[in-house]
C-alpha cells in the first residue's frame, strides 16, 4: 500500500469533486485509510452540508474509521450520526446496518433497536417499490447498496431480536426471530440472495435455542450441542449466550464448555469489532462462572484473557470491570498470573 496522498499539493483551486472522485476510487479499491484525508478535505471544502458529495464523504469517513476500538467507534458515530438521514435510500441501508452493528458492540440496545426498526422499514419500502415497478412493467431500480436487499430486511429483524433478547424481552424477540428464519418468500432472489436466506435460516435456529436458554430452559443444551457440531460458525455467539444463562440461572455446563471452549479463536487472533466484543464478554462471563464454581486459578486465567481483549478493543469500561474483579481474587493468583496482569496493565501482551 502506498503513502497517504498529500492533499495540500493539489492546490485550493481544485474542484472538490476531483478530491471526491479520487477518494471514491481509493475507497472502492480497498485503500480506505488513504482515502480518509481526501474525504476530510471534501467535508472541509464543501459549504453545503446537504450536498451529495458532502453527505457521501461523511458516510465514507464513518465506514473508514470504524474498527475494533470502542472509543474510536463512539467518536465515528458521533461525527456521522446526524448526517445519515440525507443519504439516498439505497445507500442509507448500509449506513443503518453499520450504525446498528457498532451500537451492538457498545451494547446500546435502545439504539440497536432504533436503527433495526429503521432498517427493516426502509428495506420493505424499497422492496415494495420494486414489486410495484415489476407490476407496471418498469425495470427494477439498480440499487447502489453493498449487499442484496434481503440482507438489510433480514438484518432488521435479526438485530431487533438481539436487542430485545438483551433487554430480557424474550417473548417479543421470538416473533422477530421467526420472521427472519424463513425468508424464502422474498422476490428478486438470485444465487447470492438464496445463500443469504440460508444464512438467516441457520441464524434463526441458533437464536431460538439461545432464546430458550435466556428464558431459563437448559433442556435445549443437547440439541444446541448437535447444532453447533453442524454449524461451527455459530459457536461464539451461542457460547456467549450459554455462559450468560448459566451465570444467571446457576446452570452446570462444565461438559458443554469442555467440548466447545477449545474451539474458540485464540485471543491473539485477528478480530473484528463484532466478534472481538463477543469474545471479551465470553471470557469475562466464563471467569465469573469459574469463580462461582471455586475454580479460582482457572478463573484468573480467563479474566486475564478478557483483560487483554478489553485493552485490544480499547473497551475502557470492560477493562475497569476486569481490574476490579481481579483485585477481588488477587490473593489467590500465581506469580506468573500476577506478572501477566502487570504486563497487560503496562500495555504489554
Amino acid at each position: 500500500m502506498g503513502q497517504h496522498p498529500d492533499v495540500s499539493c493539489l492546490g485550493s483551486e481544485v474542484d472538490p469533486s476531483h478530491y471526491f472522485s479520487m477518494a471514491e476510487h481509493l475507497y472502492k479499491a480497498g485503500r480506505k485509510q488513504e482515502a480518509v484525508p481526501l474525504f476530510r478535505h471534501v467535508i472541509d471544502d464543501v459549504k453545503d452540508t446537504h450536498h451529495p458529495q458532502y453527505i457521501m464523504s461523511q458516510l465514507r469517513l464513518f465506514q473508514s474509521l470504524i474498527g475494533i476500538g470502542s472509543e474510536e467507534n463512539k467518536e465515528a458515530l458521533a461525527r456521522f450520526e446526524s448526517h445519515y438521514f440525507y443519504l439516498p435510500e439505497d445507500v442509507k441501508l448500509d449506513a443503518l446496518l453499520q450504525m446498528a452493528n457498532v451500537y451492538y458492540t457498545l451494547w446500546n440496545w435502545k439504539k440497536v433497536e432504533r436503527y433495526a426498526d429503521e432498517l427493516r422499514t426502509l428495506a420493505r419500502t424499497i422492496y415494495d417499490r420494486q414489486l410495484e415497478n415489476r407490476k407496471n412493467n418498469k425495470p427494477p431500480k439498480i440499487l447502489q447498496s453493498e449487499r442484496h436487499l434481503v440482507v438489510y430486511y433480514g438484518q432488521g429483524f435479526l438485530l431487533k431480536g438481539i436487542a430485545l433478547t438483551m433487554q430480557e424481552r424474550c417473548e417479543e424477540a421470538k416473533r422477530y426471530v421467526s420472521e427472519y428464519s424463513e425468508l424464502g418468500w422474498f422476490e428478486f432472489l438470485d444465487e447470492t440472495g438464496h445463500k443469504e436466506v440460508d444464512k438467516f435460516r441457520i441464524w434463526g435456529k441458533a437464536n431460538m435455542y439461545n432464546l430458550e436458554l435466556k428464558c431459563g430452559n437448559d433442556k435445549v443444551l443437547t440439541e444446541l450441542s448437535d447444532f453447533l457440531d453442524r454449524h461451527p460458525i455459530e459457536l461464539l455467539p451461542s457460547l456467549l449466550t450459554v455462559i450468560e444463562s448459566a451465570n444467571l440461572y446457576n446452570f452446570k455446563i462444565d461438559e458443554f464448555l469442555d467440548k466447545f471452549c477449545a474451539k474458540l479463536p485464540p485471543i491473539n487472533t485477528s478480530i473484528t469489532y463484532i466478534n472481538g466484543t463477543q469474545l471479551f464478554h465470553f471470557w469475562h462471563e466464563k471467569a465469573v462462572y469459574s469463580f462461582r464454581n471455586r475454580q479460582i486459578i482457572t478463573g484468573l486465567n480467563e479474566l486475564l484473557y478478557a483483560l487483554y481483549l478489553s485493552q485490544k478493543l480499547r473497551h475502557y469500561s470492560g477493562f475497569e470491570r476486569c481490574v476490579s474483579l481481579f483485585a477481588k481474587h488477587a490473593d489467590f493468583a500465581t506469580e506468573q498470573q500476577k506478572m501477566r496482569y502487570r504486563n497487560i496493565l503496562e500495555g504489554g501482551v
Side-chain angles (χ1 to χ4, degrees), residues 137-198:
N137 294 317
K138 293 180 182 177
K141 180 184 175 185
I142 305 300
L143 302 179
Q144 299 305 307
S145 52
E146 295 177 4
R147 311 284 296 279
H148 195 288
L149 184 58
V150 76
V151 171
Y152 305 102
Y153 186 70
Q155 283 286 342
F157 283 101
L158 186 147
L159 287 161
K160 176 79 169 187
I162 290 172
L164 291 171
T165 301
M166 296 306 292
Q167 296 172 82
E168 299 180 5
R169 294 157 64 185
C170 296
E171 290 306 315
E172 287 179 74
K174 286 179 182 178
R175 180 166 67 88
Y176 290 90
V177 175
S178 296
E179 289 285 350
Y180 68 78
S181 294
E182 185 43 70
L183 290 172
W185 56 266
F186 206 92
E187 301 281 347
F188 315 111
L189 291 176
D190 54 12
E191 183 182 354
T192 299
H194 283 293
K195 287 179 180 176
E196 297 292 354
V197 167
D198 288 341

Side-chain angles (χ1 to χ4, degrees), residues 95-278:
L96 288 167
L97 179 55
Q98 284 172 311
M99 286 193 296
N101 279 333
V102 175
Y103 274 119
Y104 172 101
T105 69
L106 301 173
W107 283 40
N108 186 330
W109 304 119
K110 288 298 182 187
K111 284 281 195 174
V112 173
E113 254 197 281
R114 171 189 161 178
Y115 289 125
D117 287 340
E118 285 193 42
L119 180 62
R120 194 173 64 255
T121 300
L122 179 58
R124 184 71 202 213
T125 298
I126 294 172
Y127 176 78
D128 288 342
R129 196 176 296 142
Q130 297 284 54
L131 285 178
E132 190 67 23
N133 284 343
R134 188 173 67 180
K135 180 181 172 184
N136 295 325
N137 294 317
K138 293 180 182 177
K141 180 184 175 185
I142 305 300
L143 302 179
Q144 299 305 307
S145 52
E146 295 177 4
R147 311 284 296 279
H148 195 288
L149 184 58
V150 76
V151 171
Y152 305 102
Y153 186 70
Q155 283 286 342
F157 283 101
L158 186 147
L159 287 161
K160 176 79 169 187
I162 290 172
L164 291 171
T165 301
M166 296 306 292
Q167 296 172 82
E168 299 180 5
R169 294 157 64 185
C170 296
E171 290 306 315
E172 287 179 74
K174 286 179 182 178
R175 180 166 67 88
Y176 290 90
V177 175
S178 296
E179 289 285 350
Y180 68 78
S181 294
E182 185 43 70
L183 290 172
W185 56 266
F186 206 92
E187 301 281 347
F188 315 111
L189 291 176
D190 54 12
E191 183 182 354
T192 299
H194 283 293
K195 287 179 180 176
E196 297 292 354
V197 167
D198 288 341
K199 287 182 194 174
F200 280 116
R201 188 176 293 117
I202 293 168
W203 292 335
K205 186 75 171 171
N207 285 333
M208 276 299 188
Y209 287 132
N210 293 341
L211 273 170
E212 288 298 324
L213 286 164
K214 286 280 189 180
C215 294
N217 178 14
D218 63 343
K219 303 294 189 293
V220 299
L221 281 171
T222 302
E223 286 182 47
L224 178 58
S225 177
D226 294 340
F227 173 84
L228 292 176
D229 287 337
R230 298 192 306 275
H231 303 288
I233 196 168
E234 289 303 301
L235 178 60
L236 179 53
S238 292
L239 210 49
L240 175 55
T241 300
V242 169
I243 196 70
E244 286 174 336
S245 301
N247 285 336
L248 183 62
Y249 295 106
N250 204 22
F251 296 157
K252 288 290 286 181
I253 55 167
D254 292 4
E255 187 177 330
F256 193 94
L257 292 171
D258 288 343
K259 178 179 178 180
F260 288 112
C261 272
K263 298 180 182 180
L264 285 172
I267 61 165
N268 60 353
T269 193
S270 177
I271 55 175
T272 67
Y273 64 99
I274 291 283
N275 66 23
T277 302
Q278 291 173 331

